[in-house]
Coordinates of all heavy atoms in Angstrom, one line a residue:
I1 N 56.4 52.3 35.0 CA 57.6 53.1 35.1 C 58.6 52.6 34.0 O 58.8 51.4 34.0 CB 58.2 53.0 36.5 CG1 57.2 53.5 37.5 CG2 59.5 53.7 36.6 CD1 57.7 53.2 38.9
Q2 N 59.1 53.5 33.2 CA 59.9 53.1 32.1 C 61.3 53.7 32.2 O 61.3 54.9 32.5 CB 59.2 53.5 30.8 CG 60.0 53.0 29.6 CD 59.1 53.3 28.3 OE1 58.0 53.8 28.3 NE2 59.8 53.1 27.2
C3 N 62.4 53.0 32.0 CA 63.7 53.5 32.0 C 64.6 52.7 31.2 O 64.4 51.5 31.0 CB 64.2 53.8 33.4 SG 64.6 52.3 34.3
A4 N 65.7 53.3 30.7 CA 66.7 52.5 30.0 C 68.0 52.4 30.8 O 68.4 53.3 31.5 CB 67.1 53.3 28.7
L5 N 68.5 51.2 30.9 CA 69.7 50.9 31.7 C 70.9 50.5 30.9 O 70.7 49.9 29.8 CB 69.4 49.7 32.7 CG 68.2 49.9 33.6 CD1 68.0 48.6 34.5 CD2 68.5 51.1 34.5
K6 N 72.0 50.9 31.2 CA 73.2 50.6 30.5 C 73.7 49.2 30.7 O 74.5 48.6 29.9 CB 74.4 51.6 30.9 CG 74.1 53.0 30.6 CD 75.1 53.9 31.1 CE 74.8 55.4 30.8 NZ 75.7 56.3 31.4
A7 N 73.3 48.5 31.8 CA 73.7 47.2 32.1 C 72.7 46.5 33.0 O 71.8 47.2 33.6 CB 75.0 47.1 32.8
H8 N 72.7 45.2 33.1 CA 71.8 44.4 34.0 C 72.1 44.9 35.4 O 73.3 45.0 35.8 CB 72.2 42.9 33.8 CG 71.5 42.1 34.9 ND1 70.2 41.6 34.6 CD2 71.9 41.7 36.1 CE1 69.9 40.8 35.7 NE2 70.9 40.9 36.6
A9 N 71.1 45.1 36.2 CA 71.3 45.6 37.6 C 70.0 45.4 38.4 O 68.9 45.3 37.9 CB 71.6 47.1 37.6
D10 N 70.2 45.3 39.7 CA 69.1 45.4 40.6 C 68.6 46.8 40.7 O 69.4 47.8 40.7 CB 69.5 45.0 42.0 CG 69.9 43.5 42.1 OD1 69.3 42.7 41.4 OD2 70.8 43.1 42.9
V11 N 67.3 47.0 40.7 CA 66.7 48.3 40.6 C 65.9 48.6 41.8 O 65.1 47.7 42.3 CB 65.8 48.4 39.3 CG1 65.0 49.7 39.2 CG2 66.5 48.1 38.0
T12 N 66.1 49.7 42.4 CA 65.3 50.3 43.5 C 64.5 51.4 43.0 O 65.0 52.4 42.5 CB 66.2 50.7 44.7 OG1 67.1 49.7 45.0 CG2 65.4 51.2 45.8
I13 N 63.2 51.3 43.3 CA 62.2 52.3 42.9 C 61.6 52.9 44.1 O 61.1 52.2 45.0 CB 61.0 51.8 42.0 CG1 61.6 51.1 40.8 CG2 60.0 52.8 41.7 CD1 60.6 50.3 40.0
Q14 N 61.9 54.2 44.3 CA 61.4 54.9 45.6 C 60.3 55.9 45.1 O 60.5 56.6 44.2 CB 62.5 55.5 46.3 CG 63.4 54.5 47.0 CD 64.4 55.2 47.9 OE1 65.0 56.2 47.5 NE2 64.7 54.6 49.0
I15 N 59.2 55.8 45.9 CA 58.1 56.8 45.6 C 58.0 57.7 46.8 O 57.8 57.2 47.9 CB 56.8 56.0 45.4 CG1 57.0 55.0 44.2 CG2 55.6 56.9 45.1 CD1 55.9 54.0 44.0
T16 N 58.1 59.0 46.6 CA 57.9 60.0 47.6 C 56.8 60.9 47.3 O 56.5 61.1 46.1 CB 59.2 60.8 47.8 OG1 59.6 61.4 46.6 CG2 60.4 60.0 48.2
D17 N 56.1 61.5 48.3 CA 55.1 62.4 48.0 C 55.6 63.8 47.8 O 56.8 64.0 47.8 CB 54.0 62.4 49.2 CG 54.5 62.9 50.5 OD1 55.6 63.4 50.6 OD2 53.9 62.7 51.5
N18 N 54.7 64.8 47.6 CA 55.2 66.1 47.3 C 55.9 66.9 48.5 O 56.5 67.9 48.3 CB 54.1 67.0 46.7 CG 52.9 67.2 47.7 OD1 52.9 66.5 48.7 ND2 52.0 68.0 47.4
T19 N 55.9 66.2 49.7 CA 56.6 66.8 50.8 C 57.9 66.2 51.0 O 58.7 66.6 51.9 CB 55.8 66.7 52.1 OG1 55.7 65.3 52.5 CG2 54.4 67.3 52.0
G20 N 58.3 65.2 50.1 CA 59.5 64.4 50.3 C 59.5 63.2 51.1 O 60.5 62.5 51.4
R21 N 58.3 62.9 51.7 CA 58.1 61.7 52.5 C 58.1 60.5 51.7 O 57.4 60.4 50.7 CB 56.8 61.9 53.3 CG 56.6 60.7 54.3 CD 55.4 61.0 55.2 NE 54.2 61.2 54.4 CZ 53.2 60.4 54.3 NH1 53.2 59.2 54.9 NH2 52.1 60.6 53.4
L22 N 58.9 59.5 52.1 CA 59.0 58.2 51.4 C 57.7 57.4 51.6 O 57.3 57.2 52.8 CB 60.2 57.3 51.9 CG 60.5 56.0 51.2 CD1 60.7 56.2 49.7 CD2 61.6 55.3 51.9
I23 N 57.1 57.1 50.5 CA 55.8 56.4 50.5 C 56.0 54.9 50.4 O 55.4 54.1 51.0 CB 54.8 56.9 49.5 CG1 54.6 58.4 49.7 CG2 53.5 56.2 49.5 CD1 53.9 58.8 51.0
D24 N 56.9 54.5 49.4 CA 57.0 53.1 49.1 C 58.4 52.9 48.5 O 59.0 53.8 47.8 CB 55.9 52.7 48.1 CG 55.7 51.2 48.1 OD1 56.3 50.4 48.8 OD2 54.8 50.8 47.4
T25 N 58.9 51.7 48.7 CA 60.2 51.2 48.0 C 59.9 49.9 47.3 O 59.3 49.0 48.0 CB 61.3 51.0 49.0 OG1 61.5 52.3 49.6 CG2 62.6 50.6 48.3
I26 N 60.2 49.8 46.1 CA 60.0 48.6 45.3 C 61.3 48.1 44.7 O 62.1 48.9 44.2 CB 59.0 48.9 44.1 CG1 57.7 49.4 44.7 CG2 58.8 47.6 43.3 CD1 56.8 50.0 43.6
L27 N 61.6 46.8 44.9 CA 62.8 46.2 44.4 C 62.5 45.4 43.2 O 61.6 44.5 43.2 CB 63.5 45.4 45.5 CG 63.9 46.1 46.8 CD1 64.4 45.2 47.8 CD2 64.8 47.3 46.5
K28 N 63.2 45.6 42.1 CA 63.0 44.8 40.8 C 64.4 44.4 40.3 O 65.4 44.9 40.7 CB 62.2 45.7 39.8 CG 60.9 46.1 40.2 CD 59.9 45.0 40.1 CE 58.5 45.5 40.3 NZ 57.5 44.5 40.1
E29 N 64.4 43.6 39.2 CA 65.6 43.2 38.5 C 65.5 43.8 37.1 O 64.5 43.6 36.4 CB 65.8 41.7 38.4 CG 67.1 41.3 37.8 CD 67.2 39.8 37.9 OE1 66.7 39.2 38.8 OE2 67.9 39.3 37.0
G30 N 66.5 44.6 36.7 CA 66.5 45.3 35.4 C 67.5 44.7 34.4 O 68.5 44.1 34.9
Q31 N 67.2 44.7 33.2 CA 68.0 44.2 32.1 C 68.7 45.4 31.4 O 68.1 46.5 31.4 CB 67.2 43.3 31.1 CG 66.5 42.2 31.8 CD 67.4 41.2 32.5 OE1 68.5 40.9 31.9 NE2 67.1 40.7 33.6
E32 N 69.7 45.1 30.6 CA 70.3 46.1 29.8 C 69.3 46.6 28.7 O 68.6 45.8 28.2 CB 71.6 45.6 29.1 CG 72.3 46.6 28.3 CD 73.5 46.1 27.6 OE1 74.0 44.9 28.0 OE2 74.1 46.8 26.8
G33 N 69.2 47.9 28.5 CA 68.3 48.4 27.5 C 67.0 48.9 28.2 O 67.0 49.3 29.3
E34 N 66.0 49.0 27.4 CA 64.7 49.5 27.8 C 64.0 48.6 28.8 O 63.9 47.4 28.5 CB 63.8 49.8 26.6 CG 62.7 50.8 26.9 CD 63.2 52.2 27.2 OE1 64.3 52.6 26.7 OE2 62.5 52.9 28.0
N35 N 63.5 49.1 29.9 CA 62.8 48.3 30.9 C 61.5 49.0 31.2 O 61.4 50.2 31.3 CB 63.6 48.2 32.2 CG 64.8 47.3 32.1 OD1 64.7 46.1 32.3 ND2 65.9 47.9 31.6
V36 N 60.5 48.2 31.5 CA 59.2 48.7 31.9 C 58.8 48.0 33.2 O 58.7 46.8 33.3 CB 58.0 48.5 30.9 CG1 56.7 49.0 31.4 CG2 58.4 49.2 29.6
F37 N 58.6 48.7 34.3 CA 58.3 48.1 35.6 C 56.9 48.5 35.9 O 56.5 49.7 36.0 CB 59.2 48.7 36.7 CG 60.7 48.4 36.4 CD1 61.6 49.4 36.0 CD2 61.2 47.1 36.5 CE1 62.9 49.2 35.7 CE2 62.5 46.8 36.2 CZ 63.4 47.8 35.8
E38 N 56.0 47.5 36.2 CA 54.7 47.8 36.5 C 54.4 47.8 38.0 O 55.1 47.0 38.7 CB 53.8 46.8 35.9 CG 53.7 46.8 34.3 CD 52.8 45.9 33.7 OE1 51.9 45.4 34.4 OE2 53.0 45.6 32.5
F39 N 53.6 48.7 38.5 CA 53.2 48.6 39.9 C 51.8 49.1 40.0 O 51.3 49.7 39.2 CB 54.2 49.5 40.7 CG 54.0 51.0 40.6 CD1 53.3 51.6 41.6 CD2 54.5 51.7 39.5 CE1 53.1 53.0 41.5 CE2 54.3 53.0 39.4 CZ 53.6 53.7 40.4
N40 N 51.2 48.7 41.2 CA 49.8 49.1 41.4 C 49.6 50.4 42.0 O 49.9 50.6 43.2 CB 49.2 47.9 42.3 CG 47.7 48.1 42.5 OD1 47.1 49.1 42.0 ND2 47.1 47.3 43.4
D41 N 49.2 51.4 41.2 CA 49.0 52.8 41.8 C 47.7 52.9 42.5 O 47.4 54.0 43.1 CB 49.1 53.8 40.7 CG 48.1 53.7 39.6 OD1 47.3 52.8 39.7 OD2 48.1 54.6 38.7
Q42 N 46.8 51.9 42.6 CA 45.5 52.0 43.3 C 45.7 52.2 44.8 O 44.8 52.7 45.4 CB 44.7 50.7 43.0 CG 44.4 50.5 41.5 CD 43.5 51.7 41.0 OE1 42.6 52.1 41.6 NE2 43.9 52.2 39.8
K43 N 46.8 51.8 45.3 CA 47.0 51.9 46.8 C 47.5 53.3 47.2 O 47.6 53.6 48.4 CB 47.9 50.9 47.3 CG 49.3 50.9 46.9 CD 50.2 49.8 47.5 CE 51.6 49.9 47.0 NZ 52.4 48.8 47.6
Y44 N 47.7 54.2 46.3 CA 48.2 55.6 46.6 C 47.0 56.6 46.4 O 46.2 56.5 45.5 CB 49.3 56.0 45.6 CG 50.5 55.0 45.6 CD1 50.7 54.2 44.5 CD2 51.3 54.9 46.7 CE1 51.7 53.3 44.5 CE2 52.4 54.0 46.7 CZ 52.6 53.2 45.6 OH 53.6 52.3 45.6
A45 N 47.0 57.5 47.3 CA 45.9 58.6 47.3 C 46.2 59.5 46.1 O 47.3 59.6 45.6 CB 46.0 59.4 48.6
P46 N 45.2 60.2 45.6 CA 45.4 61.1 44.5 C 46.4 62.2 44.9 O 46.4 62.7 46.0 CB 44.0 61.8 44.3 CG 43.0 60.7 44.8 CD 43.8 60.1 46.0
G47 N 47.3 62.5 44.0 CA 48.3 63.6 44.3 C 49.4 63.5 43.3 O 49.4 62.7 42.4
V48 N 50.5 64.2 43.6 CA 51.7 64.2 42.8 C 52.8 63.5 43.6 O 53.0 63.8 44.8 CB 52.1 65.7 42.6 CG1 53.5 65.8 41.8 CG2 51.1 66.5 41.8
Y49 N 53.5 62.6 42.9 CA 54.6 61.8 43.5 C 55.8 62.0 42.7 O 55.8 62.1 41.5 CB 54.2 60.4 43.6 CG 53.0 60.1 44.5 CD1 51.7 60.3 43.9 CD2 53.1 59.9 45.8 CE1 50.5 60.0 44.8 CE2 52.0 59.6 46.6 CZ 50.7 59.8 46.1 OH 49.6 59.6 46.9
L50 N 57.0 61.8 43.3 CA 58.3 61.7 42.6 C 58.7 60.3 42.6 O 58.8 59.6 43.7 CB 59.3 62.6 43.3 CG 60.7 62.6 42.7 CD1 60.7 63.1 41.3 CD2 61.7 63.3 43.6
I51 N 59.1 59.7 41.5 CA 59.6 58.4 41.3 C 61.0 58.5 41.1 O 61.5 59.1 40.1 CB 58.9 57.7 40.1 CG1 57.4 57.8 40.1 CG2 59.3 56.3 40.0 CD1 56.7 57.2 41.3
S52 N 61.8 57.8 41.9 CA 63.3 57.7 41.8 C 63.6 56.2 41.4 O 63.3 55.3 42.2 CB 63.9 58.1 43.1 OG 65.3 57.8 43.1
V53 N 64.3 56.1 40.4 CA 64.7 54.7 39.9 C 66.2 54.7 40.0 O 66.9 55.4 39.3 CB 64.2 54.4 38.5 CG1 64.7 53.0 38.1 CG2 62.7 54.5 38.4
T54 N 66.8 53.8 40.8 CA 68.3 53.7 41.0 C 68.7 52.3 40.6 O 68.1 51.3 41.1 CB 68.7 54.0 42.4 OG1 68.2 55.2 42.8 CG2 70.2 53.9 42.6
A55 N 69.6 52.2 39.7 CA 70.2 50.9 39.3 C 71.7 51.1 39.2 O 72.2 51.8 38.3 CB 69.7 50.5 37.9
G56 N 72.5 50.5 40.1 CA 73.9 50.6 40.2 C 74.2 52.1 40.4 O 73.7 52.7 41.4
N57 N 75.0 52.8 39.5 CA 75.3 54.2 39.7 C 74.4 55.1 38.8 O 74.7 56.3 38.7 CB 76.7 54.5 39.5 CG 77.2 54.1 38.1 OD1 76.4 53.7 37.3 ND2 78.4 54.4 37.8
E58 N 73.3 54.5 38.3 CA 72.4 55.3 37.4 C 71.2 55.7 38.2 O 70.7 54.9 39.0 CB 71.9 54.4 36.2 CG 72.9 54.0 35.2 CD 72.3 53.2 34.1 OE1 71.4 53.8 33.4 OE2 72.7 52.1 33.9
N59 N 70.7 56.9 38.0 CA 69.5 57.4 38.7 C 68.6 58.1 37.6 O 69.1 58.8 36.8 CB 69.9 58.5 39.7 CG 70.6 57.9 40.9 OD1 70.2 57.0 41.5 ND2 71.8 58.4 41.2
H60 N 67.3 57.7 37.7 CA 66.3 58.3 36.8 C 65.2 58.8 37.7 O 64.8 58.3 38.7 CB 65.7 57.3 35.9 CG 66.8 56.6 35.0 ND1 67.2 57.1 33.8 CD2 67.5 55.5 35.3 CE1 68.1 56.3 33.3 NE2 68.4 55.3 34.1
F61 N 64.7 60.0 37.3 CA 63.6 60.6 38.1 C 62.4 60.9 37.2 O 62.6 61.4 36.1 CB 64.1 61.9 38.8 CG 65.2 61.7 39.8 CD1 66.5 61.8 39.4 CD2 64.9 61.3 41.0 CE1 67.5 61.6 40.2 CE2 66.0 61.1 41.9 CZ 67.2 61.2 41.6
N62 N 61.2 60.7 37.7 CA 60.0 61.0 37.0 C 58.9 61.5 38.0 O 59.0 61.2 39.2 CB 59.4 59.7 36.4 CG 60.2 59.2 35.2 OD1 60.5 59.9 34.3 ND2 60.7 58.0 35.4
K63 N 58.0 62.3 37.5 CA 56.9 62.7 38.2 C 55.6 61.9 37.9 O 55.4 61.5 36.7 CB 56.5 64.2 37.9 CG 55.5 64.8 38.8 CD 55.1 66.2 38.5 CE 56.0 67.1 37.8 NZ 55.5 68.4 37.5
L64 N 54.9 61.5 38.9 CA 53.7 60.7 38.8 C 52.5 61.5 39.3 O 52.6 62.0 40.5 CB 53.8 59.4 39.5 CG 52.6 58.5 39.6 CD1 52.2 58.0 38.2 CD2 52.8 57.3 40.5
I65 N 51.5 61.6 38.5 CA 50.2 62.3 39.0 C 49.1 61.3 39.0 O 48.9 60.6 38.0 CB 49.9 63.5 38.1 CG1 51.0 64.5 38.1 CG2 48.6 64.1 38.5 CD1 50.8 65.7 37.0
I66 N 48.5 61.1 40.2 CA 47.4 60.2 40.3 C 46.2 61.0 40.6 O 46.1 61.8 41.5 CB 47.6 59.2 41.5 CG1 48.9 58.4 41.2 CG2 46.4 58.3 41.7 CD1 49.3 57.4 42.3
L67 N 45.2 60.8 39.7 CA 43.9 61.5 39.8 C 42.9 60.8 40.6 O 42.8 59.6 40.7 CB 43.4 61.9 38.4 CG 44.3 62.7 37.6 CD1 43.8 62.9 36.2 CD2 44.6 64.1 38.2

C-alpha cells in the first residue's frame, strides 16, 4: 500500500470487503512524503477489497483485487 503524507503521523489502514464489512485494521507509523506499507494478502480470500488509509486528517482510498 503506497501513499504520500504531508507530515509524520500514525497511520490506520482499514480493509473492507465489497459489502462494506470491515475485514482487518492495521496500525503503522508514517513519515512525511512517500510511504510504502507492506502487508500479507495471503490471509484474504480472492475478491475485491477497499483499502482506507487514514493519517491525521488525511484519507486515501484504493481498491485491492486478490486473485
Side-chain angles (χ1 to χ4, degrees):
I1 300 171
Q2 185 175 356
C3 70
L5 301 177
K6 295 178 184 172
H8 173 88
D10 292 328
V11 176
T12 302
I13 302 168
Q14 292 186 316
I15 302 168
T16 57
D17 66 13
N18 61 350
T19 66
R21 184 173 56 109
L22 181 63
I23 302 297
D24 202 357
T25 299
I26 302 166
L27 303 175
K28 299 281 187 175
E29 187 174 330
Q31 304 298 323
E32 180 178 353
E34 199 66 31
N35 290 267
V36 176
F37 303 108
E38 294 185 19
F39 75 102
N40 182 2
D41 64 356
Q42 297 297 313
K43 65 181 181 177
Y44 305 109
V48 178
Y49 297 88
L50 178 65
I51 309 296
S52 168
V53 180
T54 304
N57 61 358
E58 294 182 61
N59 292 306
H60 303 270
F61 298 95
N62 291 302
K63 188 185 334 180
L64 172 67
I65 300 173
I66 299 177
L67 303 175

